[in-house]
Amino acid sequence: MDNLAKLAAQGHRDAMRRIVAEHYASVYRFCARRLGADLAEDAAQETFIMAYRTINRYDPACALRSWLFGIGLNICRNMARKQRVEVDIDNLWSLESASPTEAQIVDNDLLRDALKGLSPDHLDVVILHELEGLTYEEAGMVLGIPTGTVKSRLHEAFKKLRTAMVSEVAK
Amino acid sequence: MNLRDDAKAFVDGELEASRLAEIQTAMESDADLRGDIEAMRALGFELRRTAVEHEVKGAEKALGRFGSSKKRNFFLEAFVCCVVLGVVGAITFPVFAQSKESAKKTQAMTEANMRESDSQMKAEGGESVADGLASGRSASPSRSESRLFSPGEPTYFDDTRGRPNVLAPDLIRTAVLNVLVKDAPTAMTEAMGIAKRMGGYHQNSRSTKTQYATSISEVTLRVPVGRFDMSLDALRKLGEVTEDSSDSQDVTAEIADVGARLKVLRAEEESYVTMLRAGKKVGEILEIKDRLSSVRQQIESLTAQQKALKDQSSYSTISCTFNERPKVAEVKPSEGWTDDAWANAVNGLKSVGRFLGQAVIFIFVYSPIWLPVLIVGWFISRRMRA
């Protein structure tokens, strides 16, 4: 993958095509989760155009996917601000219907309400780690924060989710 | 630091070995910590399980934005072009007449060389690769060709440079060819030979006889994608082409997407296995097992899909149908005018006989109509005479 990035940095469009082919689906899904399906395509396209323009600045120490997610995150934030779109839990998780078997582990309705109560910072780390499957280090690179901060935010997010769900049950 | 603060990192396997051991030891005696860890695990599991999988759109458009050429600096390229044109013009214009003369000489020398090498090849009993392929005989390929067609090894080469093209898009190429030939089964055998020499194989074949005593042979050939055009050219030379169509589908994004999905599913499978090992409640274990089997099914299905896509993109499919030219009945030359006259007379007599026979049958069949009229007429004429 580093070779592809190097070739792309030298101006080889074929290498960039390979990068797009490899990562488009994950970048698209990442954008769709943040902005919804209507804006995701534009955001994903914009991400790769921006990546091509700035590939000279790519650091091979960072995984290419994380680097693309970092660009995608900035683009999604800008688009969300311009279009006045907020992160919608329904674009992230399908928690409407809970069969009795699923409810044995976690009640989906409770989880949905608890997720709505998370701050954007907490939601960011949850999305990157749980949905996109990034490690703490990779998530830190995407968000531009230290690994330790990712760890503590994730722990806090899960603690909040649990507390919110327990207090809801107690009511 | 409180051990509970590291519960999530413990579940995610993001802890150092010493801290991990510390928590594992503490878990044995601390039921609350165990509860915390179980809750984190269940919550993470549920978040991953219920994640929305958006249908990916616009991959083709994104790929289309990066055409297969180098990044261009327009002004620099325009400047370089102007300079090169200027220099070439300045050099070539004054000596144009001389160049023309020398070009003629070079051309004559090249032609002489070609003639010489051609006669040398004929003397050695060889023939060009393309001719050999078209005629169905085994051509004597050059050293580079024989290296390309190493037996039993699929060849995937860039047409223009003959070296692996790692950045080429994955294409599924298909073609349909209908060819009019003298002898369909022979043409089919030749087509199979072409596929074999191209490093491919024939997938299936069929020969049938029509009611007009001509044969139709159908064969499906699989040839390496890099040799697709060359194979088509060779097949076209087998007869008169009546239908020729080809199609290609870019599956680069699809293959990459399937690969990425597989990666994610394998990671998910791994995490389920870890959870299964740590699971204690029967209900939970059964639930995890259920999901693990579903993930494994998806992995198997995607692996098969990936394999099929790779196979289709590395070997192109050519469907050939060979139709025989309709056979015209042979006319024997006549031996003389007497024979012709005899044959014509006999045929004429047969026709007259046939006509008379038909007339008798008609008269007999219509007798209920004409016979009473005839009898009444005869009776009246007899009375009148009397």
Short mmCIF file of all heavy atoms in Angstrom, two decimals, chain A residues 36-68:
data_model
loop_
_atom_site.label_atom_id
_atom_site.label_comp_id
_atom_site.label_asym_id
_atom_site.label_seq_id
_atom_site.Cartn_x
_atom_site.Cartn_y
_atom_site.Cartn_z
N GLY A 36 -25.36 10.67 6.13
CA GLY A 36 -26.52 10.05 5.48
C GLY A 36 -26.18 9.74 4.04
O GLY A 36 -25.23 10.29 3.48
N ALA A 37 -27.01 8.88 3.43
CA ALA A 37 -26.71 8.39 2.07
C ALA A 37 -26.76 9.50 1.02
O ALA A 37 -26.06 9.42 0.02
CB ALA A 37 -27.69 7.27 1.72
N ASP A 38 -27.57 10.54 1.24
CA ASP A 38 -27.72 11.59 0.22
C ASP A 38 -26.43 12.37 -0.01
O ASP A 38 -26.12 12.73 -1.14
CB ASP A 38 -28.83 12.56 0.63
CG ASP A 38 -30.18 11.88 0.64
OD1 ASP A 38 -30.29 10.82 0.00
OD2 ASP A 38 -31.11 12.40 1.28
N LEU A 39 -25.72 12.63 1.05
CA LEU A 39 -24.51 13.46 0.92
C LEU A 39 -23.22 12.63 0.86
O LEU A 39 -22.16 13.15 0.58
CB LEU A 39 -24.42 14.43 2.10
CG LEU A 39 -25.52 15.49 2.20
CD1 LEU A 39 -25.42 16.25 3.51
CD2 LEU A 39 -25.40 16.48 1.04
N ALA A 40 -23.37 11.33 1.16
CA ALA A 40 -22.17 10.50 1.30
C ALA A 40 -21.35 10.42 0.02
O ALA A 40 -20.12 10.46 0.06
CB ALA A 40 -22.57 9.10 1.73
N GLU A 41 -22.03 10.32 -1.12
CA GLU A 41 -21.30 10.17 -2.38
C GLU A 41 -20.43 11.39 -2.66
O GLU A 41 -19.24 11.25 -2.97
CB GLU A 41 -22.29 9.95 -3.53
CG GLU A 41 -21.60 9.47 -4.78
CD GLU A 41 -22.56 9.21 -5.93
OE1 GLU A 41 -23.71 8.81 -5.67
OE2 GLU A 41 -22.15 9.41 -7.07
N ASP A 42 -21.02 12.57 -2.49
CA ASP A 42 -20.25 13.80 -2.72
C ASP A 42 -19.06 13.87 -1.76
O ASP A 42 -17.95 14.25 -2.15
CB ASP A 42 -21.13 15.04 -2.52
CG ASP A 42 -22.09 15.21 -3.68
OD1 ASP A 42 -21.85 14.56 -4.72
OD2 ASP A 42 -23.06 15.96 -3.55
N ALA A 43 -19.32 13.51 -0.51
CA ALA A 43 -18.26 13.59 0.50
C ALA A 43 -17.13 12.60 0.18
O ALA A 43 -15.94 12.95 0.29
CB ALA A 43 -18.84 13.29 1.88
N ALA A 44 -17.50 11.40 -0.24
CA ALA A 44 -16.48 10.38 -0.56
C ALA A 44 -15.65 10.82 -1.77
O ALA A 44 -14.42 10.69 -1.77
CB ALA A 44 -17.14 9.04 -0.82
N GLN A 45 -16.34 11.36 -2.79
CA GLN A 45 -15.61 11.84 -3.99
C GLN A 45 -14.64 12.95 -3.60
O GLN A 45 -13.48 12.96 -4.01
CB GLN A 45 -16.59 12.42 -5.02
CG GLN A 45 -17.71 11.49 -5.41
CD GLN A 45 -17.37 10.59 -6.57
OE1 GLN A 45 -16.41 10.85 -7.27
NE2 GLN A 45 -18.12 9.54 -6.75
N GLU A 46 -15.15 13.86 -2.79
CA GLU A 46 -14.34 15.01 -2.35
C GLU A 46 -13.13 14.52 -1.55
O GLU A 46 -12.03 15.05 -1.70
CB GLU A 46 -15.23 15.90 -1.47
CG GLU A 46 -14.66 17.25 -1.13
CD GLU A 46 -14.57 18.19 -2.34
OE1 GLU A 46 -15.37 18.03 -3.28
OE2 GLU A 46 -13.67 19.03 -2.32
N THR A 47 -13.34 13.48 -0.77
CA THR A 47 -12.25 12.93 0.05
C THR A 47 -11.10 12.45 -0.84
O THR A 47 -9.93 12.74 -0.58
CB THR A 47 -12.76 11.74 0.90
OG1 THR A 47 -13.82 12.21 1.70
CG2 THR A 47 -11.67 11.16 1.77
N PHE A 48 -11.45 11.72 -1.92
CA PHE A 48 -10.39 11.18 -2.78
C PHE A 48 -9.72 12.27 -3.63
O PHE A 48 -8.54 12.19 -3.91
CB PHE A 48 -10.95 10.05 -3.65
CG PHE A 48 -11.12 8.78 -2.87
CD1 PHE A 48 -12.35 8.38 -2.40
CD2 PHE A 48 -10.01 8.01 -2.53
CE1 PHE A 48 -12.50 7.23 -1.65
CE2 PHE A 48 -10.15 6.85 -1.77
CZ PHE A 48 -11.40 6.47 -1.33
N ILE A 49 -10.49 13.28 -4.00
CA ILE A 49 -9.88 14.39 -4.75
C ILE A 49 -8.88 15.10 -3.84
O ILE A 49 -7.75 15.39 -4.24
CB ILE A 49 -10.97 15.36 -5.25
CG1 ILE A 49 -11.80 14.67 -6.33
CG2 ILE A 49 -10.35 16.64 -5.80
CD1 ILE A 49 -13.06 15.40 -6.71
N MET A 50 -9.31 15.33 -2.62
CA MET A 50 -8.42 16.00 -1.65
C MET A 50 -7.20 15.12 -1.36
O MET A 50 -6.07 15.62 -1.27
CB MET A 50 -9.22 16.27 -0.36
CG MET A 50 -8.47 17.04 0.69
SD MET A 50 -7.99 18.67 0.13
CE MET A 50 -9.53 19.55 0.31
N ALA A 51 -7.44 13.82 -1.26
CA ALA A 51 -6.32 12.89 -0.99
C ALA A 51 -5.30 12.94 -2.12
O ALA A 51 -4.09 12.94 -1.88
CB ALA A 51 -6.86 11.48 -0.83
N TYR A 52 -5.80 12.99 -3.36
CA TYR A 52 -4.89 13.03 -4.52
C TYR A 52 -4.07 14.32 -4.52
O TYR A 52 -2.89 14.30 -4.86
CB TYR A 52 -5.73 12.90 -5.79
CG TYR A 52 -4.90 12.78 -7.05
CD1 TYR A 52 -3.92 11.78 -7.16
CD2 TYR A 52 -5.07 13.64 -8.11
CE1 TYR A 52 -3.16 11.66 -8.30
CE2 TYR A 52 -4.32 13.52 -9.26
CZ TYR A 52 -3.36 12.53 -9.35
OH TYR A 52 -2.60 12.40 -10.48
N ARG A 53 -4.73 15.41 -4.13
CA ARG A 53 -4.02 16.69 -4.11
C ARG A 53 -2.95 16.74 -3.03
O ARG A 53 -1.92 17.39 -3.17
CB ARG A 53 -5.01 17.83 -3.85
CG ARG A 53 -5.80 18.19 -5.09
CD ARG A 53 -6.67 19.38 -4.78
NE ARG A 53 -7.68 19.55 -5.81
CZ ARG A 53 -8.89 20.02 -5.60
NH1 ARG A 53 -9.25 20.39 -4.38
NH2 ARG A 53 -9.73 20.15 -6.58
N THR A 54 -3.22 16.04 -1.93
CA THR A 54 -2.32 16.17 -0.78
C THR A 54 -1.52 14.90 -0.49
O THR A 54 -0.97 14.76 0.60
CB THR A 54 -3.13 16.54 0.48
OG1 THR A 54 -4.13 15.55 0.66
CG2 THR A 54 -3.77 17.90 0.36
N ILE A 55 -1.50 13.98 -1.46
CA ILE A 55 -0.84 12.69 -1.18
C ILE A 55 0.66 12.85 -0.92
O ILE A 55 1.27 12.00 -0.28
CB ILE A 55 -1.13 11.67 -2.32
CG1 ILE A 55 -0.78 10.24 -1.88
CG2 ILE A 55 -0.38 12.01 -3.58
CD1 ILE A 55 -1.87 9.29 -1.94
N ASN A 56 1.23 13.94 -1.39
CA ASN A 56 2.65 14.22 -1.09
C ASN A 56 2.91 14.33 0.40
O ASN A 56 4.00 14.08 0.88
CB ASN A 56 3.08 15.53 -1.75
CG ASN A 56 3.16 15.38 -3.26
OD1 ASN A 56 3.60 14.35 -3.74
ND2 ASN A 56 2.69 16.37 -3.98
N ARG A 57 1.86 14.73 1.12
CA ARG A 57 2.02 14.94 2.57
C ARG A 57 1.69 13.67 3.37
O ARG A 57 1.71 13.69 4.59
CB ARG A 57 1.09 16.08 3.02
CG ARG A 57 1.66 17.44 2.67
CD ARG A 57 0.76 18.51 3.23
NE ARG A 57 -0.03 19.13 2.17
CZ ARG A 57 -1.18 19.76 2.36
NH1 ARG A 57 -1.69 19.83 3.57
NH2 ARG A 57 -1.81 20.30 1.36
N TYR A 58 1.36 12.59 2.68
CA TYR A 58 0.99 11.35 3.39
C TYR A 58 2.21 10.74 4.09
O TYR A 58 3.28 10.62 3.49
CB TYR A 58 0.40 10.35 2.38
CG TYR A 58 0.28 8.96 2.93
CD1 TYR A 58 -0.58 8.67 3.98
CD2 TYR A 58 1.06 7.92 2.42
CE1 TYR A 58 -0.68 7.40 4.49
CE2 TYR A 58 0.96 6.64 2.91
CZ TYR A 58 0.09 6.39 3.95
OH TYR A 58 0.00 5.13 4.47
N ASP A 59 2.02 10.39 5.36
CA ASP A 59 3.10 9.79 6.14
C ASP A 59 2.89 8.27 6.18
O ASP A 59 1.88 7.80 6.73
CB ASP A 59 3.05 10.38 7.56
CG ASP A 59 4.09 9.75 8.46
OD1 ASP A 59 4.96 9.02 7.94
OD2 ASP A 59 4.03 10.00 9.68
N PRO A 60 3.82 7.50 5.58
CA PRO A 60 3.62 6.04 5.53
C PRO A 60 3.53 5.38 6.91
O PRO A 60 3.08 4.24 7.02
CB PRO A 60 4.85 5.54 4.79
CG PRO A 60 5.40 6.72 4.10
CD PRO A 60 5.04 7.91 4.91
N ALA A 61 3.93 6.09 7.97
CA ALA A 61 3.82 5.53 9.32
C ALA A 61 2.35 5.32 9.69
O ALA A 61 2.01 4.50 10.54
CB ALA A 61 4.50 6.45 10.32
N CYS A 62 1.48 6.11 9.07
CA CYS A 62 0.04 6.04 9.36
C CYS A 62 -0.62 5.15 8.29
O CYS A 62 -0.23 5.20 7.13
CB CYS A 62 -0.50 7.47 9.29
SG CYS A 62 -2.27 7.63 9.23
N ALA A 63 -1.56 4.32 8.73
CA ALA A 63 -2.25 3.47 7.75
C ALA A 63 -3.01 4.35 6.77
O ALA A 63 -3.58 5.37 7.17
CB ALA A 63 -3.22 2.53 8.46
N LEU A 64 -2.99 3.94 5.50
CA LEU A 64 -3.62 4.77 4.46
C LEU A 64 -5.11 4.98 4.74
O LEU A 64 -5.65 6.07 4.53
CB LEU A 64 -3.42 4.10 3.10
CG LEU A 64 -3.75 4.94 1.87
CD1 LEU A 64 -2.95 6.22 1.83
CD2 LEU A 64 -3.51 4.15 0.60
N ARG A 65 -5.76 3.94 5.24
CA ARG A 65 -7.20 4.04 5.52
C ARG A 65 -7.46 5.12 6.58
O ARG A 65 -8.38 5.92 6.46
CB ARG A 65 -7.74 2.68 5.98
CG ARG A 65 -9.26 2.65 6.05
CD ARG A 65 -9.76 1.23 6.14
NE ARG A 65 -9.54 0.67 7.45
CZ ARG A 65 -10.54 0.24 8.24
NH1 ARG A 65 -11.78 0.31 7.84
NH2 ARG A 65 -10.28 -0.28 9.41
N SER A 66 -6.60 5.12 7.62
CA SER A 66 -6.77 6.11 8.70
C SER A 66 -6.57 7.52 8.13
O SER A 66 -7.28 8.45 8.50
CB SER A 66 -5.77 5.88 9.81
OG SER A 66 -5.78 4.55 10.20
N TRP A 67 -5.57 7.63 7.26
CA TRP A 67 -5.28 8.95 6.67
C TRP A 67 -6.48 9.43 5.84
O TRP A 67 -6.90 10.59 5.92
CB TRP A 67 -4.02 8.84 5.79
CG TRP A 67 -3.59 10.12 5.19
CD1 TRP A 67 -3.07 11.20 5.83
CD2 TRP A 67 -3.64 10.47 3.80
NE1 TRP A 67 -2.79 12.20 4.94
CE2 TRP A 67 -3.12 11.78 3.68
CE3 TRP A 67 -4.05 9.82 2.65
CZ2 TRP A 67 -3.01 12.44 2.46
CZ3 TRP A 67 -3.94 10.47 1.42
CH2 TRP A 67 -3.43 11.76 1.35
N LEU A 68 -7.07 8.49 5.07
CA LEU A 68 -8.24 8.84 4.26
C LEU A 68 -9.43 9.19 5.15
O LEU A 68 -10.17 10.13 4.87
CB LEU A 68 -8.62 7.68 3.34
CG LEU A 68 -7.66 7.40 2.17
CD1 LEU A 68 -8.01 6.08 1.49
CD2 LEU A 68 -7.69 8.52 1.15
#
